[in-house]
Amino acid sequence: MEIDFSPRMEAFARSAFTRIDTPPRMRNLRQSFSSAWTQYAGLRSRSISMLPGARETGELNIRILKTPRERRAISELRKHAAFSVERDLGVNLASAEAARDDLGIVAAVYRRTKLIATMRVVPVGQRLTAIENLPADLLGDERLLGRDCWEIGRTIMAVDDRSPELLMRCMVLAFRKLIELEEVSHLHATTTRPLARLWRRFGFQQAAAVEGASGEQYVVIHATKHDVAAALREPAGL
């Protein structure tokens, strides 16, 4: 997963959460994860009509984009995808974006008819994930590279739709969809240390540590679908 951490954006999120009257546990969850999303969601986007077949949950809809034609709906959003973590780790997969889409699962979240967020997960095994291009001492971890392991990435949210409340609803909706999928058993991502702590709110734990060319410390985080389901307090799919 590609994430840049910004203290300015984290401060903005903290300020926004102080104005929401919620129980302490949920306030902490929202407050923590808002800084994660706002950082890697820094972009400008246009309104794009919802594609047919989206599954509706309240005013939010989630759709799996199965073909290149369907994925054109998120092309404007993706123009703002960041690659800084991958570059710092020496992972050069920018030219393989189309192949990663074809191999993986691409989801789009809409609010009514407006596209507001996207997420992609890619299975390991074809050297199209960041983890498969990291140091060899990670390659023996079956939690990361075994059967039914998937990498989360390209998670982007439209800047003019960001809010603490909407942020959490998008993330919960996306994770609910992922844990419904039979082929997904393990999930992982590569991120900064501050954001790794935030992902623990959704059941993720540190699995490995890596250092970038800049000297920046990163961590590989991992969760099973049951870990995520427990964090969401619901069954772990099929």
Side-chain angles (χ1 to χ4, degrees), residues 167-177 202 232 234:
L167 154 68
M168 292 306 303
R169 293 174 61 196
C170 285
M171 292 304 299
V172 168
L173 186 62
F175 278 123
R176 282 177 178 167
K177 185 64 177 178
F202 285 89
L232 296 173
E234 59 181 61

Side-chain angles (χ1 to χ4, degrees), residues 68-98:
R69 182 176 180 180
E70 290 178 341
R71 292 191 290 268
R72 283 202 292 269
I74 62 174
S75 59
E76 290 297 318
L77 215 55
R78 281 189 158 183
K79 286 180 179 178
H80 304 274
F83 291 89
S84 61
V85 173
E86 289 183 359
R87 283 196 300 266
D88 195 27
L89 291 172
V91 175
N92 184 17
L93 292 172
S95 62
E97 284 295 281

Side-chain angles (χ1 to χ4, degrees), residues 105-116:
I105 299 169
V106 180
V109 178
Y110 298 82
R111 182 169 59 181
R112 299 186 182 93
T113 60
K114 183 182 180 183
L115 174 66
I116 60 172

Side-chain angles (χ1 to χ4, degrees), residues 24 63 70 89 133 136 142 155 181-182 206 211 227:
R63 176 182 167 85
E70 290 178 341
L89 291 172
N133 292 273
E142 288 298 308
T155 308
L181 303 175
E182 185 175 2
Q206 178 174 329
E211 183 175 313
D227 295 331

Side-chain angles (χ1 to χ4, degrees), residues 7-238:
R8 181 175 64 84
M9 294 305 294
E10 183 183 13
F12 171 81
R14 283 201 304 265
S15 174
F17 273 111
T18 60
R19 298 190 296 272
I20 297 177
D21 183 17
T22 56
R25 189 172 184 273
M26 180 56 71
R27 188 182 306 120
N28 291 339
L29 172 59
R30 289 174 175 167
Q31 189 173 23
S32 296
F33 210 83
S34 65
S35 58
W37 187 288
T38 52
Q39 187 46 53
Y40 58 76
L43 53 87
R44 297 177 183 175
S45 69
R46 312 176 195 175
S47 297
I48 303 173
S49 296
M50 182 176 68
L51 294 173
R55 184 166 66 91
E56 185 171 347
T57 305
E59 69 171 8
L60 296 185
N61 305 273
I62 187 165
R63 176 182 167 85
I64 302 300
L65 309 180
K66 298 180 180 179
T67 68
R69 182 176 180 180
E70 290 178 341
R71 292 191 290 268
R72 283 202 292 269
I74 62 174
S75 59
E76 290 297 318
L77 215 55
R78 281 189 158 183
K79 286 180 179 178
H80 304 274
F83 291 89
S84 61
V85 173
E86 289 183 359
R87 283 196 300 266
D88 195 27
L89 291 172
V91 175
N92 184 17
L93 292 172
S95 62
E97 284 295 281
R100 296 168 92 180
D101 283 347
D102 290 338
L103 183 64
I105 299 169
V106 180
V109 178
Y110 298 82
R111 182 169 59 181
R112 299 186 182 93
T113 60
K114 183 182 180 183
L115 174 66
I116 60 172
T118 181
M119 175 186 283
R120 180 181 67 198
V121 293
V122 179
V124 302
Q126 302 295 321
R127 297 195 65 81
L128 289 175
T129 63
I131 190 68
E132 294 172 278
N133 292 273
L134 290 179
D137 58 356
L138 297 180
L139 300 183
D141 194 331
E142 288 298 308
R143 297 174 302 168
L144 307 177
L145 294 169
R147 187 174 173 223
D148 300 332
C149 294
W150 295 67
E151 181 174 84
I152 305 173
R154 294 299 168 262
T155 308
I156 308 168
M157 188 174 185
V159 68
D160 55 347
D161 290 296
R162 288 190 312 223
S163 73
E165 193 75 35
L166 187 58
L167 154 68
M168 292 306 303
R169 293 174 61 196
C170 285
M171 292 304 299
V172 168
L173 186 62
F175 278 123
R176 282 177 178 167
K177 185 64 177 178
L178 282 178
I179 64 176
E180 288 175 357
L181 303 175
E182 185 175 2
E183 61 268 35
V184 176
S185 295
H186 295 262
L187 294 162
H188 68 262
T190 305
T191 185
T192 62
R193 287 189 179 278
L195 295 186
R197 292 193 293 269
L198 305 180
W199 278 87
R200 286 204 293 264
R201 305 288 185 175
F202 285 89
F204 287 80
Q205 296 291 333
Q206 178 174 329
V210 289
E211 183 175 313
S214 67
E216 179 77 19
Q217 298 294 314
Y218 303 99
V219 295
V220 180
I221 54 174
H222 164 268
T224 68
K225 68 190 302 180
H226 298 283
D227 295 331
V228 176
L232 296 173
R233 293 188 175 181
E234 59 181 61
L238 301 176

